[in-house]
Amino acid sequence: MAVGLLVEEQRGEIAEAWRRAVSEELGGEEAIGFAVGPLLRELSLALRGDAPPGRAARGADGLLRCGVLVRSGAPPARVAREFKLLHRALWDTLRRAGRIVAIDERRAADEWLDEALAAALERLERVRMRIDLLEHGPAVIAPARGAGVATPRPGALRPPPLPSQRAAATPPPLPGAAAAPWPPGE
């Protein structure tokens, strides 16, 4: 419970330390930038046991909400590295503030952050699978002959035949034009 209160008190400093570490060590666009604030809030609620009544029954609800805020185009390795920096920012900030954290409380916070990482990576994988499905479409596999699939009997309903290529090349004669000489005046 004490670590949850400390995280809530130091949330802004932890987020700022994380942003500095990401810009110095990784550079580029942040993958979990929008999720850091809500992640720290959910972490403090989980560690304090102060989850609202509707949220207490669904333990992973906060993780799912935070996972939605992770940039979907980010590579999984980038997300993992940013979570590593979030771990470091959390403990460095609390240490600089002179806070002493028991090992079991630290383990609980680390496990919660690891679960948040797993939830974020699972969501990224589901998003990528959906994108692949939309881009490439589902694989269509033709059924094997004789595998219990009924084949149509001869003479069953079939679509009408297509017109032949030769018939389409010559247009039909115009009415009354067969008797007229061509070109006129000959």
Side-chain angles (χ1 to χ4, degrees):
M1 182 171 182
V3 175
L5 292 172
L6 292 174
V7 169
E8 185 65 31
E9 288 176 7
Q10 304 289 324
R11 190 167 41 149
E13 290 83 4
I14 295 167
E16 185 56 36
W18 173 81
R19 288 190 200 296
R20 275 194 313 272
V22 167
S23 68
E24 291 170 2
E25 293 184 29
L26 301 177
E29 189 176 358
E30 300 168 348
I32 64 172
F34 292 115
V36 169
L39 274 170
L40 293 173
R41 174 78 173 138
E42 292 293 332
L43 172 63
S44 69
L45 288 173
L47 294 176
R48 290 187 330 215
D50 286 347
R55 209 184 291 176
R58 300 168 299 203
D61 189 38
L63 296 176
L64 295 176
R65 275 195 316 278
C66 295
V68 170
L69 299 174
V70 174
R71 191 169 49 91
S72 62
R78 171 75 186 218
V79 174
R81 287 184 182 104
E82 289 188 17
F83 266 92
K84 174 191 75 169
L85 294 175
L86 183 59
H87 278 268
R88 186 187 313 156
L90 171 66
W91 301 121
D92 287 350
T93 302
L94 293 181
R95 186 175 29 256
R96 277 194 307 273
R99 308 298 185 179
I100 299 173
V101 179
I103 191 72
D104 58 331
E105 292 176 321
R106 183 178 175 127
R107 184 180 306 120
D110 285 338
E111 287 175 358
W112 193 92
L113 285 172
D114 290 342
E115 283 298 318
L117 170 61
L121 293 177
E122 285 174 350
R123 183 176 185 288
L124 283 177
E125 182 63 26
R126 284 193 309 270
V127 167
R128 288 202 173 98
M129 286 178 15
R130 286 181 192 148
I131 289 171
D132 286 344
L133 185 62
L134 290 174
E135 287 179 352
H136 304 298
V140 178
I141 301 171
R145 291 225 173 242
V149 178
T151 57
R153 67 181 192 278
L157 292 176
R158 292 186 183 173
L162 295 172
S164 69
Q165 294 283 339
R166 204 173 334 150
T170 58
L174 295 173
W182 189 258
E186 285 187 19

